[in-house]
Amino acid sequence: MAIEKADEMRILLNFINEIAGILYVGGIASHIVIGAVLGTPDADTAYNVYTYKELSAYILILPGLALKVICDLILYFHYGERGNWMKIKAVLMVFLTINAFVFLVPMMPELRALADAAKTTGDLSAFHALEGKEALIGMSNAIPLLLELILGSFKPKLFGERIKTRTV
C-alpha cells in the first residue's frame, strides 16, 4: 500500500511538472509571438505589448518556473534523483532563474515606463536600446531551456553513468 501511495505521489509530481513546463514555455512562446506579430513600431503599441509581456510573466512564466524548480527539488531531495542529468538540469535551472528574476522580469516595468513616456515625445530610442538588451538576454535562454527540457524528459545516462563495454 505504501508503494502505491509513493507511486501516486510521483505521478502527481510528474503531472505538476508537465503543467509547470506548459506555463513556463507557453509564456515564453507568447512573448516571442506577440513581439513578432505586433512589434513595437510606436509608443502606444510598445506600451500595450510590454503591458501584456509583464502581466504574462507574472501569470504564466514565473509560476511555471517556480513550479519547475519546486518539482526538481522534490525529485532531488525526496525521490533521490541523483543522476548526472539532474545535476546538469539543476545548473541550467539556476541559470534560467537568475536570468528571469535578475534581468528579464525587472526590465518589464522599465520598458513599459519608457514606452509610456514616449507616448508624449514619440522618441523610442531609450526604449529600443533596453528592448534590444532584453531580446539578447531572452535569446541566451534558448539553448539552456532546450537542454533542460530534453534532460527532464529523457533522463539520459551521462558521462560515467554509461555502461562501458569492452570488446576483446
Side-chain angles (χ1 to χ4, degrees):
M1 187 89 167
I3 294 173
E4 290 175 15
K5 189 71 166 172
D7 290 341
E8 288 174 7
M9 292 306 293
R10 182 69 184 250
I11 290 168
L12 178 61
L13 182 66
N14 289 340
F15 175 73
I16 292 169
N17 203 12
E18 289 292 325
I19 297 300
I22 291 166
L23 290 170
Y24 183 55
V25 176
I28 291 169
S30 76
H31 278 214
I32 294 166
V33 169
I34 196 168
V37 171
L38 296 180
T40 53
D42 59 69
D44 285 327
T45 304
Y47 179 81
N48 290 332
V49 165
Y50 275 87
T51 298
Y52 169 80
K53 284 186 172 190
E54 183 179 1
L55 291 174
S56 70
Y58 297 140
I59 295 167
L60 297 171
I61 297 172
L62 295 180
L65 178 60
L67 282 171
K68 285 181 76 53
V69 169
I70 291 167
C71 288
D72 285 351
L73 290 172
I74 292 169
L75 284 171
Y76 189 85
F77 289 108
H78 182 72
Y79 288 101
E81 288 285 358
R82 298 289 198 279
N84 287 332
W85 68 269
M86 178 57 100
K87 294 171 187 169
I88 295 169
K89 188 175 183 302
V91 170
L92 295 169
M93 288 303 296
V94 167
F95 175 82
L96 293 167
T97 302
I98 288 170
N99 258 2
F101 283 99
V102 175
F103 299 110
L104 294 171
V105 172
M107 283 184 186
M108 296 296 157
E110 189 176 349
L111 281 159
R112 196 163 53 94
L114 287 170
D116 194 30
K119 286 180 183 179
T120 56
T121 66
D123 181 16
L124 284 166
S125 58
F127 170 85
H128 285 304
L130 187 57
E131 183 185 38
K133 185 187 284 187
E134 183 234 1
L136 285 174
I137 294 169
M139 284 185 266
S140 74
N141 283 343
I143 292 172
L145 177 58
L146 180 63
L147 289 173
E148 186 274 333
L149 292 169
I150 289 169
L151 291 171
S153 294
F154 296 103
K155 301 167 181 53
K157 293 195 181 303
L158 301 171
F159 313 118
E161 296 172 333
R162 291 184 174 169
I163 298 172
K164 295 179 182 171
T165 58
R166 284 194 255 175
T167 56
V168 180

